[in-house]
C-alpha cells in the first residue's frame, strides 16, 4: 500500500469515526503543542463529561463542586476545600487543575 493511500484511508477513517458519534457524546478536538499558559495538550482531546470532571475534582480533595460553562478546553469550577471556597480552572481533556484562586472562607 502506498503512503498516500494509507494517509487518505486514515483521514477517511477519522472522519467517519467522528461523524458516527451520537449528538450527546464527547466532543473531539485535535490540538498540537502547548497552549498559551505553557501546559502541554494531548494530540487528541476527548473532552470529559460533567460527571467525569466532578469526579476528577473530587478526587483531588474538593467538595461542593459547581461547574460553569466550558471554554476552549477548560472549565471554571467553584469548589470547597477545607475552610475555603476556590475558583478552579480545570482542563476538560484531562481533569487536571490548571489554576486555583481562593475566593472566600467557606
Amino acid at each position: 500500500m502506498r503512503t498516500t493511500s494509507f494517509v487518505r484511508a486514515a483521514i477517511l477513517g477519522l472522519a467517519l469515526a467522528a461523524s458516527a458519534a451520537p449528538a450527546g457524546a464527547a466532543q473531539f478536538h485535535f490540538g498540537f503543542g502547548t497552549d498559551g499558559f505553557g501546559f502541554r495538550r494531548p494530540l487528541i482531546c476527548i473532552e470529559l463529561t460533567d460527571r467525569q470532571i466532578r469526579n476528577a475534582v473530587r478526587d483531588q480533595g474538593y467538595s461542593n463542586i459547581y461547574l460553569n460553562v466550558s471554554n476552549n478546553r477548560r472549565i471554571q469550577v467553584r469548589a470547597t476545600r477545607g475552610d475555603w471556597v476556590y475558583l478552579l480552572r480545570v482542563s476538560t481533556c484531562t481533569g487536571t487543575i490548571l489554576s486555583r484562586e481562593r475566593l472566600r472562607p467557606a
Side-chain angles (χ1 to χ4, degrees):
M1 181 183 258
R2 293 185 350 188
T3 305
T4 56
S5 298
F6 180 75
V7 171
R8 286 182 188 164
I11 292 172
L12 180 62
L14 284 173
L16 289 174
S19 66
Q27 298 175 0
F28 294 94
H29 294 284
F30 298 96
F32 301 94
T34 61
D35 60 6
F37 298 101
F39 296 104
R40 289 198 49 82
R41 292 186 293 188
L43 294 178
I44 298 175
C45 173
I46 301 173
E47 291 190 332
L48 301 174
T49 64
D50 290 350
R51 174 58 49 200
Q52 290 171 325
I53 292 171
R54 286 177 194 273
N55 290 342
V57 172
R58 185 200 64 217
D59 292 343
Q60 296 178 49
Y62 292 89
S63 61
N64 299 329
I65 300 164
Y66 297 95
L67 302 180
N68 201 344
V69 178
S70 63
N71 185 14
N72 195 21
R73 296 187 195 122
R74 288 171 191 78
I75 189 167
Q76 281 190 338
V77 177
R78 191 184 73 202
T80 304
R81 184 175 190 183
D83 294 334
W84 287 91
V85 176
Y86 293 93
L87 181 64
L88 308 171
R89 188 177 191 134
V90 179
S91 168
T92 58
C93 297
T94 61
T96 57
I97 296 173
L98 303 174
S99 67
R100 171 175 94 160
E101 179 182 343
R102 187 184 286 184
L103 293 178
R104 60 180 170 80

